[in-house]
Amino acid sequence: MSGMEIVNKLASRGFMVEPEALELLKAKSSRDLERLLDGMDASAFMVTVEDVRRILSSEEVIRASVSGSSDRSHGSTVPPSQATPAYRSPAKPRQIQPVASAGEVRVLNDITNNSTCIGDYDEFVGYFRYRYTKLGDMIRSRVSSRPIESLKKGGRRSSSGDGKSEVAVIGMVSDLRQTSGGHRMIELEDPTGSINVLIMKDSDIFESPLILDEVIGVSGQLSGDGGLLIAKSLVYPDVPYTNIPRRSSEPSIAALISDVHVGSDTFLEDDWMKFLDWVNGDCPTDRDADLVSRLKYIIVAGDLVDGIGIYPGQEKELHILDVYDQYRKAAEYFSMIPKHIQIVISPGNHDAVRQAEPQPALSREVQDMFKQGNVTFVGNPSAVEIEGVRVMIYHGRSIDDLVSNLPGASYSRPELAMAELLKRRHLSPIYGGRVMIAPEEKDHFIIDPIPEIIHSGHVHTVGVCRHRGVILANSGTWQGQTEFQKRMNIQPDPARIPLVDLNTGEVSIVGFRE
């Protein structure tokens, strides 16, 4: 690639590049450049020599470790059948000694066996009040706000003497619209009432992303009758700048995977087998051996199997037609993972649990198929702690709602959508979209306490970034492009997984495709 092509590509994604790093990149391919961009921290602005060596060197090592012949073409479809190929043992596995045994997986938050929802009207009211209170408290520490109802009774006068009141409120966004003059109008609600908020088109905050049902703080000038607030600034319940992530004292690694879709005729079994071979010691380089020796955790963020009846005509795209046979095959695969590695499995919208979120863990009947004793089953969403590092697991269906409602959100960069969720401290802020939300007594989607890692899937593309110290990772898929994805022009990014070093916070993306 030419230097100008590289500079333009990096600039289009918001990055500058050091001259020395540019020289290294000239010898790389366009695919390598995409890998570099995928591995870059979104908060960085300069691509350095260290970035190029760290990201591309590790990619080359992993590609070398998983290359080899395959038994069938990747992504090819096979006739629906109950029979599935047998596992092939790793070729010439290394005898890898783990650095240390994995620690305990401690469940911090999980809906499983704690559901209170029966669908009464009062539950919906209570759910939104809980959300407003929790998120409002996060904002209240940064804004001196007043109840909306009190605004109509007169407020503190401005020192400018112009007769306009300067106030701040905290509310939930109940309506978004554009005025005939091109301004933005928001309706905010709190437990005492509602107020219209006007954002002028020449305001610095006019382009601020806003979505329905999120909780925000607004400060500005109040109209004379107290019925309109002209906004000057917006405050989100975002992660504080002072956030300091916790780290493990051990050089442990957690592998993040999702959307395995066992049972689909586009399940990439050859690539999955390469991953199993790798964790079992098929490591031709010392670098591979080091990674595998430190691998202590595998965390699955939903869609372990393809399921049954998820969409019309799905049975035509299944390799295994019975959902319990799908889980039996998945259990067989996971039994091949070394026993010293702790596995955490959360469900998704293709799994055999209720569709309304939060979802409980997989049923006891399914759990009993996993007999190896190193698997922890949790709900969706859930939060676990491993070696002092908090991991929030959410399948990620709310990304569909963000892509539909938030300008700039896309399936190709899921990590940026995840950053918008973290900014709102809520995993599924839009109510009544594609995510069916059960009104539980507690809002399990609120991001509190602040985790070190948020792990999602669902959209079948890989993306990693950091937001104020929190690692945001979407772990892609192990399924090739489906007929639905072809119709929607969605390109999956399969068989690539983020590895998180729990001691340093460094993230590597490794691939298992030829």
Side-chain angles (χ1 to χ4, degrees):
M1 296 181 66
S2 71
M4 186 58 66
E5 288 176 322
I6 295 169
V7 169
N8 289 338
K9 181 68 173 178
L10 293 174
S12 70
R13 299 278 283 271
F15 295 108
M16 300 179 68
V17 60
E18 290 181 347
E20 296 83 357
L22 180 59
E23 289 303 313
L24 291 178
L25 289 172
K26 287 180 181 179
K28 303 293 184 180
S29 67
S30 58
R31 189 176 180 183
D32 288 327
L33 186 58
E34 286 296 328
R35 290 195 182 96
L36 174 71
L37 288 166
D38 287 342
M40 285 294 296
D41 187 334
S43 64
F45 71 95
M46 180 71 72
V47 176
T48 66
V49 172
E50 289 74 18
D51 291 326
V52 176
R53 290 172 176 165
R54 173 176 56 84
I55 297 170
L56 295 187
S57 294
S58 62
E59 284 280 355
E60 289 164 0
V61 167
I62 298 306
R63 289 202 304 275
S65 72
V66 300
S67 62
S69 60
S70 59
D71 298 328
R72 60 182 175 86
S73 60
H74 300 306
S76 62
T77 57
V78 295
S81 169
Q82 298 301 310
T84 54
Y87 172 71
R88 64 179 190 279
S89 299
K92 299 181 181 179
R94 286 187 176 216
Q95 297 298 318
I96 294 178
Q97 182 64 37
V99 172
S101 298
E104 177 187 3
V105 174
R106 188 161 73 95
V107 179
L108 304 177
N109 183 32
D110 185 5
I111 189 63
T112 306
N113 299 322
N114 293 309
S115 178
T116 61
C117 174
I118 59 176
D120 286 348
Y121 171 80
D122 289 343
E123 289 181 324
F124 287 91
V125 175
Y127 172 82
F128 281 105
R129 283 181 175 170
Y130 183 96
R131 179 194 290 196
Y132 171 82
T133 300
K134 291 288 290 185
L135 297 178
D137 286 345
M138 297 176 190
I139 299 172
R140 202 164 285 113
S141 63
R142 308 167 202 177
V143 175
S144 179
S145 65
R146 295 175 49 180
I148 289 175
E149 183 63 29
S150 70
L151 300 182
K152 298 178 182 179
K153 300 177 181 179
R156 177 167 50 86
R157 296 295 171 182
S158 68
S159 59
S160 62
D162 58 6
K164 295 182 179 179
S165 302
E166 295 180 348
V167 296
V169 297
I170 297 172
M172 184 176 291
V173 178
S174 59
D175 189 36
L176 289 167
R177 60 187 185 274
Q178 190 170 31
T179 71
S180 58
H183 310 295
R184 299 176 72 185
M185 187 70 76
I186 310 167
E187 185 175 355
L188 280 187
E189 292 184 358
D190 74 2
T192 71
S194 64
I195 190 171
N196 285 323
V197 177
L198 181 67
I199 302 180
M200 306 294 288
K201 61 184 178 182
D202 58 353
S203 168
D204 293 339
I205 61 172
F206 182 75
E207 299 294 339
S208 298
L210 291 168
I211 55 178
L212 290 174
D213 305 321
E214 67 173 315
V215 178
I216 59 173
V218 180
S219 62
Q221 289 189 326
L222 192 65
S223 64
D225 61 0
L228 180 68
L229 180 62
I230 303 173
K232 286 188 174 181
S233 65
L234 302 178
V235 180
Y236 297 88
D238 206 343
V239 176
Y241 284 106
T242 55
N243 177 53
I244 300 176
R246 303 194 302 179
R247 298 288 183 237
S248 170
S249 60
E250 301 292 332
S252 308
I253 285 178
L256 309 181
I257 67 174
S258 65
D259 297 270
V260 186
H261 288 278
V262 174
S264 167
D265 64 5
T266 53
F267 169 56
L268 300 175
E269 196 222 9
D270 284 341
D271 299 335
W272 177 256
M273 290 304 183
K274 290 175 183 177
F275 169 64
L276 291 181
D277 289 350
W278 188 71
V279 299
N280 275 282
D282 187 4
C283 302
T285 71
D286 291 338
R287 169 65 173 168
D288 287 326
D290 174 64
L291 289 170
V292 172
S293 71
R294 295 190 289 125
L295 179 60
K296 294 186 185 180
Y297 307 92
I298 295 175
I299 302 176
V300 185
D303 284 3
L304 182 63
V305 300
D306 204 50
I308 301 291
I310 307 300
Y311 54 88
Q314 184 189 16
E315 67 278 0
K316 299 176 183 178
E317 300 180 9
L318 290 175
H319 184 72
I320 304 175
L321 296 175
D322 182 272
V323 69
Y324 289 103
D325 287 340
Q326 292 177 10
Y327 280 114
R328 289 187 187 95
K329 188 60 183 178
E332 178 185 335
Y333 286 138
F334 277 80
S335 71
M336 301 163 192
I337 294 173
K339 304 302 181 289
H340 68 271
I341 298 175
Q342 289 293 315
I343 302 167
V344 180
I345 297 177
S346 175
N349 60 298
H350 277 251
D351 284 299
V353 293
R354 74 179 189 186
Q355 285 296 292
E357 297 180 4
Q359 298 172 301
L362 297 174
S363 68
R364 176 56 60 184
E365 182 178 0
V366 171
Q367 292 184 29
D368 288 344
M369 300 176 187
F370 294 75
K371 304 180 185 302
Q372 59 267 43
N374 60 338
V375 183
T376 300
F377 293 90
V378 294
N380 170 48
S382 58
V384 300
E385 183 179 280
I386 50 177
E387 299 185 18
V389 176
R390 292 163 295 199
V391 183
M392 180 163 272
I393 310 165
Y394 177 52
H395 180 59
R397 198 170 189 187
S398 66
I399 295 176
D400 290 336
D401 287 328
L402 281 193
V403 170
S404 300
N405 293 276
L406 194 66
S410 71
Y411 290 117
S412 63
R413 299 294 303 276
E415 72 279 14
L416 301 184
M418 293 172 67
E420 292 295 332
L421 295 176
L422 181 56
K423 184 178 180 180
R424 290 155 178 82
R425 298 290 291 276
H426 200 278
L427 294 171
S428 188
I430 300 174
Y431 200 97
R434 297 198 185 179
V435 182
M436 294 180 288
I437 298 179
E440 297 288 345
E441 187 177 65
K442 173 184 176 183
D443 188 343
H444 291 263
F445 297 92
I446 292 175
I447 304 173
D448 185 46
I450 300 167
E452 280 67 51
I453 303 168
I454 299 180
H455 173 207
S456 289
H458 183 63
V459 299
H460 292 204
T461 49
V462 176
V464 177
C465 72
R466 296 178 198 272
H467 180 74
R468 298 188 180 179
V470 180
I471 297 169
L472 305 171
N474 195 292
S475 52
T477 185
W478 295 89
Q479 183 181 35
Q481 189 180 43
T482 65
E483 289 301 320
F484 172 78
Q485 289 172 336
K486 290 177 182 177
R487 291 194 299 269
M488 299 298 293
N489 197 29
I490 297 174
Q491 295 292 332
D493 188 13
R496 299 175 65 226
I497 61 173
L499 295 180
V500 182
D501 187 318
L502 301 178
N503 176 255
T504 65
E506 181 181 349
V507 182
S508 302
I509 299 176
V510 299
F512 296 89
R513 297 220 77 187
E514 291 183 349

